[in-house]
Amino acid sequence: MDWEKATLLIVALVGVIWLLVIIFSPGLVKVPDLKPTSSARLTLNRLSYEEKIGQRFIIGFQGTSVTPELENKIKELHPGGVLLLGRNLKDGDQLERLTDNLQEIALEDTGLPLFISVDQEGEPLCRINWLECTSPSAIESEEQALEIGLERGKRLKELGVNLNLAPVLDKSYPGDFVYPRTFQSRDAGFLAKSFISGQQKHVFSVLKHFPGYTTIDFDPEREKLAKLDFIPDIDQFKIAMKADPVMVMTSNVVYNELSDYPLTMSPEGIDFVREELNPGLIISENLLSPVMKENYGLEDTVVETAEAGVDILLVAGFNEIKDTRKAIEALEKKKIDNQQFNESLLKIIKLKQKINEKNY
């Protein structure tokens, strides 16, 4: 072996060892076990029915600061979390004030912190546009993925964000609607696994959109309902799950092999998610998309998604001022108080206890 090859081999081995040390370091914040505890049960029992319903939702809002109207909205609806969009973001100082104020109101209201979430996937979708935002397509190694995950998670946490709706792991091809947002590598699952391992040292990760918007070349939120006659390859999701992302987001696609309804609304579809990935929590794709409302109606979409077994319902964007209240009220009217309902809440509470402990 010549010196050049020997040097390359040594560099590669050092990189692998460094990766393993970071991933298995005692300082790495591990995802909490979401099995019910006595503490979580006590918290659940003190919540009102309306507060329990609200904890199942992540909502959107207008503006870059907490106004009296927004404070009243949070105290009225008791949401489990908020989604930050471009309309909510100006700069770092503003965002820190906003997230601090939002958490103060939520803690005063229910004693539970908010999931403060954002789509910081990497170019082309970077809501917080002044932060580093390397495109998944530009990530070429597990070491690089880990470094980017660590840095992204650290910067988000400093701004008060604790939940990143990333990475995107749909199997995709050139021309697919989601293609620019994906890892364009045969090693996508391993890259996502390393990215999550780094990011989740600081903030929670959401793996999306299971099982994938594969071969869909139009915008399924605004143009028409997406339907596929096959279930996409999910091997990359299974590999990435070894990094323990706290949530998996479902797609709003009808997979004819499973159901006549979008997977998000389908009991068969949600059973498939649990059987294949066994995630801690399942979060829906956005239920306020014009396509979902047009095809199924807002109230039916929300209720059927919850009854299918989805733990957290995302309702944000798309001029949602009135729709958010209608969505939450639709679920309140069902008077659900069954085992599945309480199991979802217990897992949400258990995860939020990690936020209260200042680990996230």
Side-chain angles (χ1 to χ4, degrees):
M1 179 182 297
D2 59 37
W3 280 110
E4 184 177 354
K5 290 182 179 178
T7 301
L8 290 173
L9 179 59
I10 291 169
V11 170
L13 287 172
V14 169
V16 170
I17 292 169
W18 177 82
L19 177 65
L20 292 173
V21 167
I22 292 293
I23 291 175
F24 295 106
S25 166
L28 182 65
V29 179
K30 296 294 185 182
V31 178
D33 181 357
L34 297 186
K35 293 179 181 177
T37 61
S38 56
S39 174
R41 292 186 188 280
L42 285 171
T43 299
L44 177 64
N45 291 337
R46 70 168 173 75
L47 295 177
S48 69
Y49 180 70
E50 290 74 20
E51 289 170 339
K52 291 177 182 178
I53 292 293
Q55 288 301 304
R56 299 285 300 274
F57 286 84
I58 289 179
I59 69 171
F61 61 94
Q62 303 285 332
T64 58
S65 62
V66 173
T67 61
E69 291 78 13
L70 177 56
E71 181 174 355
N72 290 336
K73 182 178 183 180
I74 292 173
K75 290 182 175 180
E76 177 189 354
L77 301 178
H78 322 291
V82 295
L83 176 64
L84 302 174
L85 298 170
R87 65 192 181 188
N88 308 124
L89 308 169
K90 287 172 56 179
D91 56 47
D93 290 340
Q94 168 267 327
L95 183 50
E96 285 187 59
R97 286 194 300 272
L98 175 62
T99 55
D100 284 346
N101 292 341
L102 286 169
Q103 291 293 25
E104 288 174 6
I105 294 167
L107 289 169
E108 179 184 339
D109 180 42
T110 64
L112 291 169
L114 293 166
F115 291 127
I116 297 186
S117 62
V118 69
D119 292 294
Q120 195 75 358
E121 299 174 358
E123 292 292 349
L125 187 51
C126 296
R127 300 294 188 194
I128 306 176
N129 58 21
W130 63 86
L131 294 184
E132 171 283 325
C133 212
T134 304
S135 171
S137 65
I139 298 176
E140 298 179 343
S141 70
E142 293 175 56
E143 292 86 354
Q144 183 189 11
L146 179 66
E147 290 178 353
I148 290 171
L150 283 165
E151 178 68 12
R152 192 166 299 168
K154 179 183 178 183
R155 297 306 176 199
L156 290 174
K157 183 177 181 178
E158 289 171 349
L159 294 169
V161 175
N162 55 39
L163 180 67
N164 190 12
L165 307 187
V168 177
L169 202 51
D170 308 50
K171 187 82 171 183
S172 66
Y173 303 94
D176 288 358
F177 169 73
V178 78
Y179 181 74
R181 298 158 56 190
T182 61
F183 296 96
Q184 293 163 21
S185 166
R186 290 178 297 177
D187 297 324
F190 293 99
L191 297 180
K193 176 175 175 285
S194 292
F195 175 84
I196 293 166
S197 295
Q199 178 170 260
Q200 215 151 254
K201 183 176 176 69
H202 302 288
V203 302
F204 296 133
S205 299
V206 176
L207 188 59
K208 64 185 186 185
H209 314 79
F210 185 82
Y213 285 102
T214 307
T215 72
I216 294 167
D217 60 1
F218 56 86
D219 185 340
E221 290 194 307
R222 292 177 173 83
E223 295 184 37
K224 62 181 178 179
L225 186 64
K227 298 183 180 183
L228 291 176
D229 291 328
F230 64 95
I231 298 172
D233 179 13
I234 59 172
D235 286 346
Q236 69 277 19
F237 282 98
K238 291 183 175 182
I239 293 168
M241 284 300 294
K242 294 177 182 178
D244 293 324
V246 299
M247 300 181 198
V248 169
M249 179 182 285
T250 55
S251 70
N252 285 338
V253 176
V254 177
Y255 301 97
N256 294 324
E257 286 187 32
L258 290 172
S259 171
D260 295 330
Y261 284 87
L263 183 135
T264 299
M265 298 172 62
S266 162
E268 297 88 351
I270 302 307
D271 286 346
F272 177 70
V273 180
R274 295 203 185 280
E275 288 167 4
E276 295 294 334
L277 300 186
N278 190 30
L281 288 163
I282 297 176
I283 180 173
S284 75
E285 171 67 290
N286 203 337
L287 302 181
L288 288 190
S289 77
V291 167
M292 293 294 282
K293 287 195 290 184
E294 179 183 345
N295 281 272
Y296 302 103
L298 176 60
E299 289 88 347
D300 286 347
T301 296
V302 167
V303 170
E304 291 186 35
T305 297
E307 291 184 335
V310 173
D311 301 297
I312 296 177
L313 312 176
L314 178 61
V315 288
F318 303 105
N319 300 313
E320 80 282 48
I321 294 176
K322 294 181 180 179
D323 283 343
T324 300
R325 182 171 284 100
K326 287 168 63 176
I328 293 177
E329 288 177 349
L331 198 56
E332 286 178 349
K333 291 174 184 176
K334 291 296 292 183
K335 297 297 180 184
I336 303 171
D337 192 14
N338 55 27
Q339 182 178 352
Q340 175 190 299
F341 176 75
N342 287 310
E343 285 178 354
S344 292
L345 284 166
L346 285 168
K347 289 188 288 186
I348 291 168
I349 291 168
K350 184 77 182 291
L351 192 58
K352 288 190 168 191
Q353 288 174 340
K354 201 70 175 175
I355 301 173
N356 271 343
E357 293 165 7
K358 306 301 182 185
N359 287 317
Y360 282 89

PDB file of all heavy atoms in Angstrom, residues 265 287 291-302:
ATOM      1  N   MET A 265     -55.692  10.281   7.136  1.00  0.00           N
ATOM      2  CA  MET A 265     -57.054  10.097   7.639  1.00  0.00           C
ATOM      3  C   MET A 265     -57.448   8.639   7.773  1.00  0.00           C
ATOM      4  O   MET A 265     -58.552   8.348   8.235  1.00  0.00           O
ATOM      5  CB  MET A 265     -58.040  10.781   6.683  1.00  0.00           C
ATOM      6  CG  MET A 265     -57.875  12.269   6.530  1.00  0.00           C
ATOM      7  SD  MET A 265     -58.938  12.930   5.203  1.00  0.00           S
ATOM      8  CE  MET A 265     -60.570  12.536   5.836  1.00  0.00           C
ATOM      9  N   LEU A 287     -53.410  19.844   7.722  1.00  0.00           N
ATOM     10  CA  LEU A 287     -54.815  19.518   7.461  1.00  0.00           C
ATOM     11  C   LEU A 287     -55.599  20.709   6.922  1.00  0.00           C
ATOM     12  O   LEU A 287     -56.764  20.564   6.568  1.00  0.00           O
ATOM     13  CB  LEU A 287     -55.480  18.996   8.741  1.00  0.00           C
ATOM     14  CG  LEU A 287     -54.833  17.757   9.355  1.00  0.00           C
ATOM     15  CD1 LEU A 287     -55.599  17.333  10.611  1.00  0.00           C
ATOM     16  CD2 LEU A 287     -54.792  16.597   8.356  1.00  0.00           C
ATOM     17  N   VAL A 291     -56.549  21.570  -0.782  1.00  0.00           N
ATOM     18  CA  VAL A 291     -56.964  20.290  -1.378  1.00  0.00           C
ATOM     19  C   VAL A 291     -57.703  19.430  -0.368  1.00  0.00           C
ATOM     20  O   VAL A 291     -58.747  18.828  -0.675  1.00  0.00           O
ATOM     21  CB  VAL A 291     -55.732  19.543  -1.939  1.00  0.00           C
ATOM     22  CG1 VAL A 291     -56.087  18.096  -2.269  1.00  0.00           C
ATOM     23  CG2 VAL A 291     -55.213  20.253  -3.186  1.00  0.00           C
ATOM     24  N   MET A 292     -57.200  19.345   0.854  1.00  0.00           N
ATOM     25  CA  MET A 292     -57.873  18.534   1.876  1.00  0.00           C
ATOM     26  C   MET A 292     -59.232  19.116   2.222  1.00  0.00           C
ATOM     27  O   MET A 292     -60.231  18.383   2.354  1.00  0.00           O
ATOM     28  CB  MET A 292     -56.992  18.430   3.120  1.00  0.00           C
ATOM     29  CG  MET A 292     -55.711  17.651   2.918  1.00  0.00           C
ATOM     30  SD  MET A 292     -55.986  15.889   2.579  1.00  0.00           S
ATOM     31  CE  MET A 292     -56.324  15.300   4.232  1.00  0.00           C
ATOM     32  N   LYS A 293     -59.309  20.432   2.366  1.00  0.00           N
ATOM     33  CA  LYS A 293     -60.590  21.060   2.709  1.00  0.00           C
ATOM     34  C   LYS A 293     -61.608  20.882   1.581  1.00  0.00           C
ATOM     35  O   LYS A 293     -62.791  20.643   1.824  1.00  0.00           O
ATOM     36  CB  LYS A 293     -60.377  22.538   3.017  1.00  0.00           C
ATOM     37  CG  LYS A 293     -59.690  22.776   4.357  1.00  0.00           C
ATOM     38  CD  LYS A 293     -59.798  24.222   4.815  1.00  0.00           C
ATOM     39  CE  LYS A 293     -58.964  25.148   3.972  1.00  0.00           C
ATOM     40  NZ  LYS A 293     -59.000  26.544   4.479  1.00  0.00           N
ATOM     41  N   GLU A 294     -61.135  20.995   0.350  1.00  0.00           N
ATOM     42  CA  GLU A 294     -62.039  20.867  -0.796  1.00  0.00           C
ATOM     43  C   GLU A 294     -62.585  19.449  -0.924  1.00  0.00           C
ATOM     44  O   GLU A 294     -63.770  19.253  -1.228  1.00  0.00           O
ATOM     45  CB  GLU A 294     -61.311  21.255  -2.076  1.00  0.00           C
ATOM     46  CG  GLU A 294     -62.161  21.123  -3.336  1.00  0.00           C
ATOM     47  CD  GLU A 294     -61.389  21.454  -4.599  1.00  0.00           C
ATOM     48  OE1 GLU A 294     -60.303  22.054  -4.497  1.00  0.00           O
ATOM     49  OE2 GLU A 294     -61.866  21.084  -5.686  1.00  0.00           O
ATOM     50  N   ASN A 295     -61.753  18.458  -0.671  1.00  0.00           N
ATOM     51  CA  ASN A 295     -62.166  17.072  -0.875  1.00  0.00           C
ATOM     52  C   ASN A 295     -62.912  16.467   0.304  1.00  0.00           C
ATOM     53  O   ASN A 295     -63.785  15.608   0.106  1.00  0.00           O
ATOM     54  CB  ASN A 295     -60.935  16.212  -1.191  1.00  0.00           C
ATOM     55  CG  ASN A 295     -60.479  16.347  -2.621  1.00  0.00           C
ATOM     56  OD1 ASN A 295     -60.946  15.632  -3.511  1.00  0.00           O
ATOM     57  ND2 ASN A 295     -59.563  17.282  -2.865  1.00  0.00           N
ATOM     58  N   TYR A 296     -62.589  16.906   1.532  1.00  0.00           N
ATOM     59  CA  TYR A 296     -63.161  16.218   2.697  1.00  0.00           C
ATOM     60  C   TYR A 296     -63.817  17.154   3.703  1.00  0.00           C
ATOM     61  O   TYR A 296     -64.520  16.684   4.599  1.00  0.00           O
ATOM     62  CB  TYR A 296     -62.064  15.405   3.406  1.00  0.00           C
ATOM     63  CG  TYR A 296     -61.425  14.393   2.502  1.00  0.00           C
ATOM     64  CD1 TYR A 296     -60.165  14.632   1.941  1.00  0.00           C
ATOM     65  CD2 TYR A 296     -62.082  13.215   2.142  1.00  0.00           C
ATOM     66  CE1 TYR A 296     -59.577  13.715   1.085  1.00  0.00           C
ATOM     67  CE2 TYR A 296     -61.512  12.302   1.280  1.00  0.00           C
ATOM     68  CZ  TYR A 296     -60.257  12.559   0.755  1.00  0.00           C
ATOM     69  OH  TYR A 296     -59.684  11.649  -0.108  1.00  0.00           O
ATOM     70  N   GLY A 297     -63.642  18.459   3.567  1.00  0.00           N
ATOM     71  CA  GLY A 297     -64.181  19.392   4.548  1.00  0.00           C
ATOM     72  C   GLY A 297     -63.296  19.426   5.784  1.00  0.00           C
ATOM     73  O   GLY A 297     -62.769  18.393   6.212  1.00  0.00           O
ATOM     74  N   LEU A 298     -63.136  20.593   6.351  1.00  0.00           N
ATOM     75  CA  LEU A 298     -62.209  20.768   7.467  1.00  0.00           C
ATOM     76  C   LEU A 298     -62.591  19.915   8.669  1.00  0.00           C
ATOM     77  O   LEU A 298     -61.760  19.194   9.223  1.00  0.00           O
ATOM     78  CB  LEU A 298     -62.163  22.249   7.874  1.00  0.00           C
ATOM     79  CG  LEU A 298     -61.310  22.565   9.102  1.00  0.00           C
ATOM     80  CD1 LEU A 298     -59.858  22.155   8.887  1.00  0.00           C
ATOM     81  CD2 LEU A 298     -61.415  24.044   9.445  1.00  0.00           C
ATOM     82  N   GLU A 299     -63.845  19.986   9.100  1.00  0.00           N
ATOM     83  CA  GLU A 299     -64.245  19.285  10.315  1.00  0.00           C
ATOM     84  C   GLU A 299     -64.070  17.782  10.177  1.00  0.00           C
ATOM     85  O   GLU A 299     -63.523  17.120  11.070  1.00  0.00           O
ATOM     86  CB  GLU A 299     -65.702  19.626  10.673  1.00  0.00           C
ATOM     87  CG  GLU A 299     -65.900  21.045  11.181  1.00  0.00           C
ATOM     88  CD  GLU A 299     -66.137  22.051  10.069  1.00  0.00           C
ATOM     89  OE1 GLU A 299     -65.904  21.701   8.875  1.00  0.00           O
ATOM     90  OE2 GLU A 299     -66.529  23.193  10.370  1.00  0.00           O
ATOM     91  N   ASP A 300     -64.516  17.213   9.062  1.00  0.00           N
ATOM     92  CA  ASP A 300     -64.385  15.765   8.860  1.00  0.00           C
ATOM     93  C   ASP A 300     -62.920  15.347   8.774  1.00  0.00           C
ATOM     94  O   ASP A 300     -62.530  14.295   9.288  1.00  0.00           O
ATOM     95  CB  ASP A 300     -65.122  15.333   7.588  1.00  0.00           C
ATOM     96  CG  ASP A 300     -66.634  15.337   7.773  1.00  0.00           C
ATOM     97  OD1 ASP A 300     -67.082  15.428   8.933  1.00  0.00           O
ATOM     98  OD2 ASP A 300     -67.361  15.263   6.762  1.00  0.00           O
ATOM     99  N   THR A 301     -62.113  16.160   8.115  1.00  0.00           N
ATOM    100  CA  THR A 301     -60.687  15.844   8.000  1.00  0.00           C
ATOM    101  C   THR A 301     -60.041  15.742   9.376  1.00  0.00           C
ATOM    102  O   THR A 301     -59.309  14.793   9.676  1.00  0.00           O
ATOM    103  CB  THR A 301     -59.968  16.917   7.165  1.00  0.00           C
ATOM    104  OG1 THR A 301     -60.488  16.905   5.839  1.00  0.00           O
ATOM    105  CG2 THR A 301     -58.477  16.655   7.118  1.00  0.00           C
ATOM    106  N   VAL A 302     -60.312  16.722  10.219  1.00  0.00           N
ATOM    107  CA  VAL A 302     -59.710  16.762  11.557  1.00  0.00           C
ATOM    108  C   VAL A 302     -60.180  15.584  12.401  1.00  0.00           C
ATOM    109  O   VAL A 302     -59.372  14.879  13.031  1.00  0.00           O
ATOM    110  CB  VAL A 302     -60.044  18.099  12.251  1.00  0.00           C
ATOM    111  CG1 VAL A 302     -59.703  18.042  13.737  1.00  0.00           C
ATOM    112  CG2 VAL A 302     -59.291  19.235  11.581  1.00  0.00           C
TER     113      VAL A 302
END
